[in-house]
Amino acid sequence: MNRSRRPARSRCPKRRPPIPFRQRGGRPVADADSPSSNTAEAGGSPVVMAVAWLWVAVPFLYGLYQLAEKSSKLFE
């Protein structure tokens, strides 16, 4: 029977932290530091980007309007 106050050691070996990708000799998939000048790589045409932003922004703004309208009734 072990009566020491120290907790028992784990039988599993400690896991080493992963080695960064560049130190293993591999090339990075994409260089995030350099901006892309090609609009096709950056996300598509400006029309598609505008439609995508509107697709998200209109319901978001409507939700904020509803939140402000209903929360104002709590403070009357």
Side-chain angles (χ1 to χ4, degrees):
M1 188 165 154
N2 187 3
R3 293 182 181 232
S4 67
R5 294 180 185 228
R6 234 174 37 184
R9 286 189 174 185
S10 173
R11 295 180 188 249
C12 301
K14 287 191 176 180
R15 203 170 189 190
R16 293 182 184 169
I19 299 171
F21 187 70
R22 290 178 189 235
Q23 289 182 1
R24 288 187 297 210
R27 270 187 12 192
V29 176
D31 193 9
D33 297 334
S34 65
S36 176
S37 62
N38 190 357
T39 58
E41 288 180 12
S45 69
V47 174
V48 173
M49 290 297 291
V51 170
W53 273 103
L54 287 174
W55 186 264
V56 174
V58 170
F60 178 74
L61 292 174
Y62 178 72
L64 283 179
Y65 171 75
Q66 290 292 318
L67 177 69
E69 186 178 280
K70 292 184 180 180
S71 64
S72 67
K73 293 178 184 176
L74 292 172
F75 298 105
E76 286 180 353

